[in-house]
Amino acid sequence: MTIQKLKINSESKLQKNKRENNDDNINSNIKKIKSNEFKIQKTEEKYKKTLTKNDKENHSRNISDKFEIKNSIEKPNWIEFKKQKKELKEKYKAKRFNDIYNITITAKQFSEKFRRSDCSKLERKKLILKTHNILKNNYNRIILTHDMSRIIQWILKYCDAKIRQAIFQELKPSISSMIKSKYAKNCIKTMLKYGSQQIRHETISVFYGNVIRFMCHSVSASLLEVIYSTWATEIEKIYFKQEFYGDMYKQAKDKKIKTLSDTYKIAEDMKTATLSAVKGNLMKILNKKFLNSTLLHCVLLEFLNDCSIEDRTEMITMLKNSIMELSRTKFGSKVAAICIWHGTNKDRKIIMKSLKGNIKTISMSEHGYLILLALFDSVDDTVLIKKIIFSEIQNDLIDIALNDYGKHVILYLIARRNSHYFAPSIVKYLEQGDNNVISKKPANVREKELLYSISDSLLESVITNTSIWISNSSIAMITLAILKIGIGEKLKRAFEAVAIFISDLKSKIKEGNEEYKPIEHAGLHMMLKKLIQNDKELQKKSECTFGEILINYLKTNIIEKWIECNRGCFLLILLLENETMSVGNIILSKLKPMINILKSKQNPGAKILLEKLK
């Protein structure tokens, strides 16, 4: 036994020695290969450096020869190539539509005539009747093709109700496949647009039971959006929504179930199961990234208002990068606001970054501007708001201010929830986001920080573009709000810019086809009236008043023009009533030489002003 063990040990030692020797040999070979590669590389570099001028000339000559050979090759005849391709395509179609190929060719020839705008009504009617008679009983076979589906669209558009009904009855079994067809879906749009109420109702009823499936399809999703937002009646919209509430509503519709909460109003134990079904259906669509849907936004809003905190957090994570898509509808903007109110600080940061480059668009959107108001109310990081949102607002300040929706964004920054500028319904809606768990900074502190960040830019814009900021009644009210929050040197310069504009006899305000002098314009007169009345508040703060600035520009010839009109007289009366004693005395000294002119005037303002001078 010991001899055998010794033999085994000696054999294992020999094997180990062999392995070690092999490893050494391999390593040495690798080193030799690397050194050879390095030597080759070095020699190549030396060779490149020692290339003569003749070698380089030969090299460049070879390249030019190659180009000459390429140019000498005959170019293909593309016209002939396209012709051959077209012929092959026609042969393929002839094989595919063996029995109706000639029919489609004839139909195309007719359609080229009746689709033209210079075709008379009588001629078009005859041609459409001929085309319909040719294609009768074959519509289902050709509807999914690109060229023939276009011809059927023209027929549906121009034909009479009888032919349209006949075509619809023939196509009815194929509507499900047409909905998902890139070309045939346009025929459905034409049927809905030009068809009778019965055709619309029957077409829409095909969607019942398959709404979720169609909303997950790239072609049918856009068609469903058009149908829901344009052609569906209120009851049909309700039936579309019900399919999100569970499988039981796919075929069995209930008129009483109008919202998600109605499904478990009677049976509270159904709430968890229903919400789970809605969440599953929403996730299917959201995973496909088809968010441009009014129906989807409506169901999302209902779900977020009723679901658990965990489900809401999960939905916010899914939606935080899609705020622009949500901003396009009323329901979507409310969903976006919920995401802002209840999202974490990280979520809010991602939401703001997703809006980057689109702030002007969303500010001027009918529903989107509310999303920015929700951000101003909730985000504690005002530095980030200034960096992402204010930077874009400042670049397009005038365009935003002139827009009917954009002006609310500016007004909210300078007069947050002021009843003079915001309807009670908007204020009540925004109050839903107050006292949310995430926002820690007091609302008044956040408001002051935002105002401080934007006020200088607003005043600077008023100074440099005065004529625009008081060009109509709407923007004049925004200008008034801006001037009311101004302080210091910038405010004084803004007052001077306004005073120069209204005291310049050449200044005009255009509204429609008419031109007005600044003091005769009703909207601007109201703005100036409130601005002068605000001087009492500025006196308490020891700030420069508008009256003090204006009086320096009211020369004798300008006052003469002002007292000619009723509104000009009332502005002078307001200056006497609201300014300091010293300013009032200056105005009186300028007006007293004009007593005789005032006596000759019959307007109410001149009479009151005359009494003030006595």
Side-chain angles (χ1 to χ4, degrees):
M1 289 294 289
T2 52
I3 293 164
Q4 284 178 351
K5 280 181 181 180
L6 286 167
K7 280 182 181 180
I8 291 163
N9 289 334
S10 61
E11 283 174 4
S12 62
K13 281 178 182 179
L14 285 167
Q15 284 175 356
K16 276 183 183 180
N17 290 330
K18 281 180 183 178
R19 281 175 200 161
E20 286 172 1
N21 290 330
N22 287 333
D23 290 341
D24 290 339
N25 290 331
I26 290 164
N27 290 330
S28 64
N29 287 332
I30 289 166
K31 283 178 182 178
K32 283 177 184 178
I33 290 163
K34 283 183 178 179
S35 65
N36 288 334
E37 284 178 353
F38 181 73
K39 285 175 183 176
I40 291 163
Q41 192 178 348
K42 284 286 182 183
T43 50
E44 280 179 356
E45 287 173 2
K46 283 178 183 178
Y47 174 73
K48 284 177 184 178
K49 286 177 182 177
T50 55
L51 266 175
T52 62
K53 286 183 179 179
N54 292 330
D55 293 329
K56 288 177 181 177
E57 285 172 5
N58 290 332
H59 179 68
S60 59
R61 198 180 293 115
N62 288 335
I63 291 168
S64 62
D65 290 342
K66 283 179 184 177
F67 278 114
E68 283 175 12
I69 292 162
K70 278 184 181 179
N71 292 328
S72 65
I73 295 168
E74 191 179 344
K75 290 181 181 178
N77 189 340
W78 288 109
I79 296 167
E80 188 64 31
F81 175 73
K82 285 179 180 179
K83 190 178 177 182
Q84 288 173 4
K85 193 176 179 183
K86 192 175 181 181
E87 286 172 1
L88 283 170
K89 196 176 181 182
E90 292 298 321
K91 283 179 184 177
Y92 169 73
K93 280 187 178 179
K95 284 181 182 178
R96 188 181 173 194
F97 304 105
N98 190 14
D99 52 339
I100 60 166
Y101 179 72
N102 292 327
I103 292 171
T104 58
I105 295 295
T106 311
K108 283 178 187 179
Q109 290 169 353
F110 287 152
S111 68
E112 283 301 314
K113 293 176 183 177
F114 72 67
R115 74 182 181 85
R116 291 170 61 91
S117 58
D118 58 357
C119 182
S120 65
K121 286 185 178 180
L122 186 64
E123 182 67 19
R124 183 178 284 149
K125 192 176 180 180
K126 288 177 182 177
L127 288 168
I128 284 172
L129 185 61
K130 285 181 182 178
T131 312
H132 172 64
N133 289 332
I134 291 168
L135 297 175
K136 198 185 288 182
N137 301 320
N138 291 304
Y139 282 108
N140 283 322
R141 295 182 65 188
I142 60 173
I143 190 64
L144 300 179
T145 60
H146 178 224
D147 49 359
M148 293 311 295
S149 67
R150 188 76 183 119
I151 292 167
I152 294 167
Q153 280 182 69
W154 290 326
I155 295 169
L156 288 166
K157 182 179 178 180
Y158 294 118
C159 71
D160 56 35
K162 191 176 179 182
I163 293 173
R164 196 177 288 120
Q165 184 66 33
I167 295 169
F168 174 72
Q169 289 301 325
E170 196 174 328
L171 289 174
K172 200 174 176 182
S174 304
I175 289 177
S176 290
S177 55
M178 286 168 67
I179 289 166
K180 294 185 285 183
S181 169
K182 187 179 178 181
Y183 309 115
K185 72 167 187 178
N186 295 311
C187 293
I188 293 175
K189 288 180 184 178
T190 310
M191 281 193 289
L192 291 166
K193 188 175 181 180
Y194 297 100
S196 63
Q197 192 64 40
Q198 184 195 348
I199 288 174
R200 285 176 193 163
H201 177 70
E202 288 186 39
T203 304
I204 290 169
S205 64
V206 174
F207 284 84
Y208 296 157
N210 299 293
V211 170
I212 309 299
R213 185 163 63 89
F214 287 143
M215 283 188 77
C216 291
H217 194 274
S218 59
V219 175
S220 58
S222 59
L223 176 62
L224 188 60
E225 167 59 14
V226 171
I227 290 169
Y228 182 83
S229 57
T230 310
W231 303 111
T233 61
E234 286 303 313
I235 193 68
E236 286 166 345
K237 287 179 180 180
I238 288 166
Y239 289 164
F240 277 0
K241 277 201 298 180
Q242 284 180 9
E243 297 206 14
F244 283 85
Y245 304 159
D247 291 343
M248 63 183 288
Y249 294 104
K250 283 190 175 179
Q251 296 302 328
K253 307 296 181 185
D254 190 345
K255 289 182 181 180
K256 293 178 182 178
I257 307 296
K258 294 180 180 180
T259 60
L260 178 57
S261 57
D262 292 338
T263 57
Y264 45 80
K265 196 174 277 183
I266 299 168
E268 190 65 30
D269 55 329
M270 288 286 290
K271 184 174 180 178
T272 307
T274 306
L275 288 171
S276 179
V278 174
K279 183 185 174 183
N281 289 325
L282 288 172
M283 284 296 186
K284 281 180 190 176
I285 301 165
L286 292 174
N287 285 327
K288 293 280 184 179
K289 304 292 181 184
F290 298 138
L291 277 103
N292 292 319
S293 169
T294 309
L295 173 58
L296 176 67
H297 297 173
C298 185
V299 178
L300 269 171
L301 182 62
E302 290 180 3
F303 178 74
L304 289 171
N305 284 328
D306 287 359
C307 70
S308 64
I309 295 169
E310 290 78 14
D311 285 343
R312 187 178 66 195
T313 304
E314 193 176 344
M315 278 292 169
I316 290 169
T317 305
M318 292 280 287
L319 297 168
K320 62 189 176 185
N321 286 306
S322 308
I323 301 300
M324 274 308 296
E325 287 87 348
L326 294 171
S327 70
R328 294 188 178 102
T329 67
K330 181 182 177 181
F331 302 114
S333 64
K334 290 183 176 181
V335 170
I338 290 171
C339 293
I340 291 162
W341 290 333
H342 302 290
T344 62
N345 288 323
K346 191 177 179 181
D347 292 333
R348 291 170 179 177
K349 188 175 180 179
I350 292 166
I351 286 168
M352 283 193 283
K353 284 185 175 180
S354 72
L355 298 176
K356 203 169 184 180
N358 297 295
I359 300 298
K360 181 184 176 181
T361 306
I362 202 167
S363 297
M364 296 165 71
S365 166
E366 182 182 357
H367 309 294
Y369 78 93
L370 286 167
I371 296 170
L372 292 180
L373 304 194
L375 277 170
F376 299 152
D377 271 345
S378 306
V379 178
D380 289 339
D381 192 350
T382 52
V383 175
L384 192 64
I385 289 181
K386 184 181 177 182
K387 187 179 176 182
I388 295 174
I389 297 175
F390 284 5
S391 59
E392 291 189 39
I393 289 175
Q394 286 160 0
N395 291 336
D396 300 292
L397 201 52
I398 292 171
D399 290 339
I400 292 169
L402 288 167
N403 183 265
D404 288 339
Y405 305 111
K407 67 180 182 182
H408 290 97
V409 175
I410 295 168
L411 285 169
Y412 203 75
L413 291 167
I414 54 180
R416 181 178 178 265
R417 298 187 186 179
N418 190 319
S419 58
H420 288 99
Y421 307 112
F422 296 97
S425 58
I426 293 174
V427 175
K428 192 176 180 182
Y429 168 70
L430 291 169
E431 282 173 353
Q432 294 176 46
D434 293 348
N435 303 317
N436 63 76
V437 180
I438 308 300
S439 300
K440 304 297 180 185
K441 193 179 285 186
N444 60 332
V445 175
R446 194 186 304 110
E447 183 184 354
K448 285 178 183 176
E449 288 177 0
L450 292 173
L451 180 59
Y452 177 77
S453 298
I454 198 78
S455 58
D456 280 358
S457 299
L458 293 169
L459 287 167
E460 192 61 45
S461 184
V462 172
I463 293 162
T464 52
N465 302 288
T466 312
S467 58
I468 299 172
W469 281 98
I470 50 179
S471 59
N472 60 55
S473 305
S474 178
I475 198 168
M477 287 298 106
I478 303 171
T479 310
L480 173 65
I482 292 167
L483 294 171
K484 279 185 174 181
I485 55 94
I487 54 169
E489 187 62 29
K490 280 270 174 81
L491 177 63
K492 187 179 178 181
R493 285 172 58 203
F495 280 158
E496 283 174 352
V498 174
I500 290 166
F501 181 82
I502 64 170
S503 61
D504 187 353
L505 297 176
K506 294 179 183 178
S507 296
K508 299 287 180 184
I509 292 176
K510 287 185 179 180
E511 197 164 317
N513 296 323
E514 294 186 22
E515 279 190 350
Y516 300 90
K517 291 177 182 177
I519 56 162
E520 290 179 1
H521 188 270
L524 184 54
H525 172 78
M526 183 60 68
M527 174 249 181
L528 293 169
K529 177 185 171 182
K530 291 183 181 294
L531 193 59
I532 293 166
Q533 288 172 341
N534 188 58
D535 281 352
K536 285 186 175 179
E537 296 297 320
L538 292 173
Q539 287 165 23
K540 291 175 185 176
K541 299 174 186 175
S542 301
E543 287 282 350
C544 177
T545 66
F546 178 64
E548 288 174 15
I549 302 296
L550 180 60
I551 199 66
N552 297 322
Y553 296 94
L554 291 181
K555 307 300 180 188
T556 305
N557 62 329
I558 293 162
I559 292 174
E560 284 175 359
K561 292 287 182 183
W562 278 33
I563 61 176
E564 285 178 6
C565 67
N566 194 45
R567 288 192 171 114
C569 291
F570 274 111
L571 284 179
L572 292 167
I573 292 163
L574 285 165
L575 285 168
L576 288 169
E577 290 175 348
N578 292 279
E579 299 306 319
T580 58
M581 188 71 72
S582 58
V583 174
N585 290 333
I586 295 167
I587 296 166
L588 287 171
S589 65
K590 290 186 177 186
L591 286 170
K592 278 180 180 178
M594 300 177 191
I595 288 174
N596 292 330
I597 300 170
L598 285 167
K599 285 178 180 178
S600 64
K601 303 295 177 185
Q602 296 300 315
N603 60 65
K607 290 177 182 179
I608 297 168
L609 187 58
L610 191 61
E611 287 178 11
K612 293 278 183 184
L613 295 174
K614 288 178 181 178

